Amino acid sequence: MSRSTRATGRRAAPRASRSRARTHRARTASKAIGLTLLSALVPGSGLLMGGRKKLGSFILTISIGLLLIGAYVGLTHRDSVLALLVSPRQLLVATGAVVLLGIGWIWTVVASHKLLRPVSMTYTGRLAGSMFVGLLCFAIAVPTTVAAQTVMAQRDLIGSVFQSEGNSKSATRPKVGNASDPWAKTPRLNLLLLGADDGVGRTGVRTDTVIVASIDTKTGDTALISLSRNWMRMPFPEDSPLHKVYPDGFWDPSLGNVEQPEYYLDAMYENVPKAHPGILGQTDNEGADVVKLAASAALGLDIDYYMQVNLAGFRQIIDALGGITVNVNYRVPIGGDYGAGPGSNSEKKPSGYIEKGPNQKLDGYHALWFARGRYGLSDPSRQERQRCTIHALVNSANPQALVTSYQQIAKAGKQLLRTDIPQEILGAFIQLALKVKNAKVANIDLDKNKNFPSGKNPDYAAMREIIQKAIAPKTAPAASTPTVKPTRNPTKAPTSGSTKRPTPSKTTTTPGAAENLNDACAYNPSETGTN
């Protein structure tokens, strides 16, 4: 064979290879762009069409497998998903996985376009293809970055607010037994909700809002019990060291049977730890433990955990959720101070009012004053508005708001919450919260007129009796013959989607009975908020 023939043979082989490669390419730039889009929607398909069959099949199999696994786990293993959401270590792994998947997805799109584009392209076609690939990569990178940031925000929130049992101290919380099913031997979980105001112009910290949520762990049905901020003589359990200091409750007998603002319930959080630092032993929040013990003794309930809400963070979290919708039955003051009591400023009039009206959408600022406003209004009306605010907040926490605003919610949550709920049982807590959202939430009326017409000497024994009757397991009533003949044409009931009552008059609640919050928070313009 001559030298020229051998040279011709050596040059011919590469041309044949290039010819085979060209058979997998698109003939026009527009078709290449379309196939690149398909490769982005179905990762691995572009590599298959471009001739990289093994690699394309592998990526396509992985993509479909991840989708199927995600759907299966999400639909059948909700507990595992909840455990992931509240585990800082697993959230860190999830962040890394999201970033790697995003990078792999972008590489697949770029590699697919290189294989699919025509060998000979005009400058305009090459530029258009490059710009389209850049847009696809941007469209992948943005949600990937947002997802990674959201997962890290969740991890930061969990690590900042919820400590593990071994890394936190509490003088009052129960020991974690079975973390996977902590409510197995707990028919009711009692959670203390504290609204603390340590804002500008205030001296110290006041717990203006004290509510106990008693939750049926099987059904999620919840009873809310509001404690008045001006209650005196708050008792302590007999086995508590505080009972020895205050055997007749939190008050000063030497001052006589008069109002003692420094011995009100809302002053306990700060004044007891100041007077007796370290009396309860090691704890991360002695003020909250003091109020937990006092509320337990006053209401006859074993309070398991507390959740303390900072009012400034409360405003931010409502704004992040897009506001809440409430019925305003009477004018609610914005600001105003009587100039008396712990933490008060000099007397001043309200700067404005939230006017009454049904289904009012309130932002964080106005929602905060809807819950807090008290100038010229009674404490029971304020407590009811606080319960209605919680009710509206629970109803506002829809999946769309949580997904679109979660980073802002998590940021506000770090400022909003303090709690002794340990990380180990957060998964179970989330499951219980899902039950509560879809269950009945009621208010227990402690009968103010009879049991605490003033805050000087409340009848805690009578309150305990009311509470035990209200939360006792209900038994089916025996069948009996009705003594009143039903009407032929009963009044039509309002539809479930309506929050407005058919008549302006409010149904009278029997003292000591549990009132459904859908009824208690309905629109009743005849209310005044002063009684």
Side-chain angles (χ1 to χ4, degrees):
M1 184 182 291
S2 65
R3 182 180 301 174
S4 61
T5 303
R6 289 196 300 271
T8 302
R10 287 195 298 270
R11 288 194 297 270
R15 282 198 298 270
S17 175
R18 286 196 297 271
S19 177
R20 286 195 299 271
R22 280 197 297 270
T23 60
H24 301 292
R25 294 179 180 271
R27 294 188 177 185
T28 63
S30 59
K31 187 174 181 180
I33 288 175
L35 294 175
T36 302
L37 176 61
L38 179 62
S39 72
L41 298 175
V42 186
S45 61
L47 295 173
L48 279 171
M49 291 182 290
R52 301 291 299 273
K53 296 187 180 298
K54 289 184 178 180
L55 180 59
S57 298
F58 175 75
I59 293 177
L60 184 60
T61 302
I62 291 296
S63 301
I64 295 175
L66 288 175
L67 286 174
L68 292 176
I69 291 172
Y72 173 76
V73 171
L75 293 173
T76 63
H77 289 71
R78 190 176 69 173
D79 292 356
S80 300
V81 176
L82 295 176
L84 167 65
L85 292 175
V86 295
S87 170
R89 182 179 299 176
Q90 294 185 43
L91 287 170
L92 184 61
V93 173
T95 303
V98 168
V99 172
L100 288 176
L101 286 174
I103 293 173
W105 196 356
I106 290 173
W107 178 88
T108 301
V109 171
V110 174
S112 297
H113 182 72
K114 286 183 177 180
L115 289 172
L116 294 169
R117 69 187 180 185
V119 174
S120 299
M121 296 179 65
T122 64
Y123 174 78
T124 303
R126 189 177 294 274
L127 179 62
S130 298
M131 291 180 64
F132 184 74
V133 170
L135 287 174
L136 283 179
C137 293
F138 181 77
I140 295 170
V142 169
T144 300
T145 302
V146 171
Q149 290 176 340
T150 300
V151 175
M152 287 303 293
Q154 170 70 2
R155 182 175 185 269
D156 189 29
L157 173 64
I158 295 298
S160 300
V161 176
F162 302 93
Q163 302 296 319
S164 66
E165 190 176 36
N167 293 332
S168 58
K169 301 178 180 64
S170 172
T172 57
R173 74 180 173 199
K175 295 286 185 182
V176 174
N178 181 6
S180 61
D181 187 13
W183 327 129
K185 298 181 179 179
T186 307
R188 298 196 73 89
L189 177 77
N190 298 310
L191 181 65
L192 179 69
L193 306 176
L194 298 174
D197 182 5
D198 51 352
V200 177
R202 295 290 185 184
T203 303
V205 178
R206 296 182 301 154
T207 51
D208 273 359
T209 303
V210 182
I211 298 174
V212 172
S214 183
I215 306 169
D216 186 316
T217 56
K218 300 299 181 185
T219 66
D221 288 346
T222 301
L224 296 182
I225 309 163
S226 295
L227 287 73
S228 290
R229 60 188 295 275
N230 66 333
W231 281 355
M232 288 169 47
R233 307 174 196 252
M234 285 290 290
F236 293 101
E238 292 185 1
D239 58 352
S240 167
L242 287 170
H243 180 74
K244 298 178 181 178
V245 180
Y246 303 104
D248 299 318
F250 183 60
W251 75 304
D252 186 352
S254 66
L255 298 178
N257 188 26
V258 296
E259 294 286 345
Q260 301 177 14
E262 293 300 325
Y263 289 87
Y264 283 168
L265 169 58
D266 70 350
M268 295 182 72
Y269 181 92
E270 180 169 334
N271 289 355
V272 173
K274 273 186 178 180
H276 309 283
I279 191 171
L280 297 178
Q282 293 185 330
T283 174
D284 295 331
N285 191 342
E286 190 168 20
D289 281 334
V290 167
V291 181
K292 274 178 73 176
L293 289 171
S296 293
L299 305 181
L301 299 171
D302 292 327
I303 297 179
D304 303 282
Y305 304 101
Y306 79 88
M307 187 168 287
Q308 181 175 326
V309 179
N310 175 276
L311 296 181
F314 177 79
R315 173 180 172 180
Q316 292 177 26
I317 208 166
I318 288 181
D319 282 334
L321 284 170
I324 60 174
T325 301
V326 297
N327 292 303
V328 184
N329 295 323
Y330 44 83
R331 299 178 81 209
V332 178
I334 297 174
D337 201 300
Y338 291 118
S344 293
N345 301 304
S346 58
E347 184 175 5
K348 59 182 179 181
K349 299 293 185 180
S351 60
Y353 286 87
I354 302 170
E355 299 298 336
K356 66 181 181 180
N359 297 322
Q360 292 208 46
K361 189 70 174 286
L362 303 181
D363 59 15
Y365 173 79
H366 290 92
L368 180 58
W369 280 112
F370 176 76
R372 291 184 62 198
R374 66 187 181 94
Y375 192 92
L377 302 177
S378 67
D379 271 348
S381 71
R382 186 170 182 254
Q383 292 164 10
E384 183 174 79
R385 280 182 278 114
Q386 289 169 352
R387 294 190 293 268
C388 292
T389 303
I390 294 172
H391 190 50
L393 184 59
V394 170
N395 292 334
S396 298
N398 58 75
Q400 181 180 357
L402 292 174
V403 169
T404 57
S405 307
Y406 190 75
Q407 290 186 49
Q408 297 95 312
I409 294 170
K411 182 179 179 181
K414 289 174 60 180
Q415 304 176 44
L416 173 73
L417 297 175
R418 287 186 72 181
T419 184
D420 58 354
I421 299 171
Q423 279 185 10
E424 288 83 352
I425 62 172
L426 279 181
F429 246 101
I430 293 177
Q431 293 182 49
L432 185 59
L434 293 175
K435 289 183 182 179
V436 171
K437 182 173 174 61
N438 298 314
K440 182 177 70 174
V441 181
N443 162 56
I444 297 180
D445 181 7
L446 297 180
D447 196 350
K448 172 180 171 59
N449 292 332
K450 179 179 177 182
N451 294 327
F452 51 103
S454 72
K456 291 188 295 183
N457 193 15
D459 190 343
Y460 296 114
M463 295 185 210
R464 290 192 288 268
E465 184 177 350
I466 287 174
I467 291 169
Q468 290 306 313
K469 287 181 179 179
I471 66 174
K474 302 296 186 292
T475 57
S480 60
T481 303
T483 57
V484 179
K485 186 176 181 179
T487 58
R488 251 176 225 282
N489 299 308
T491 304
K492 185 178 179 182
T495 59
S496 59
S498 173
T499 58
K500 190 172 181 178
R501 296 198 180 194
T503 59
S505 59
K506 183 174 181 178
T507 303
T508 303
T509 303
T510 304
E515 183 182 15
N516 190 302
L517 281 189
N518 286 327
D519 296 329
C521 300
Y523 184 53
N524 295 285
S526 61
E527 290 187 13
T528 62
T530 58
N531 47 6

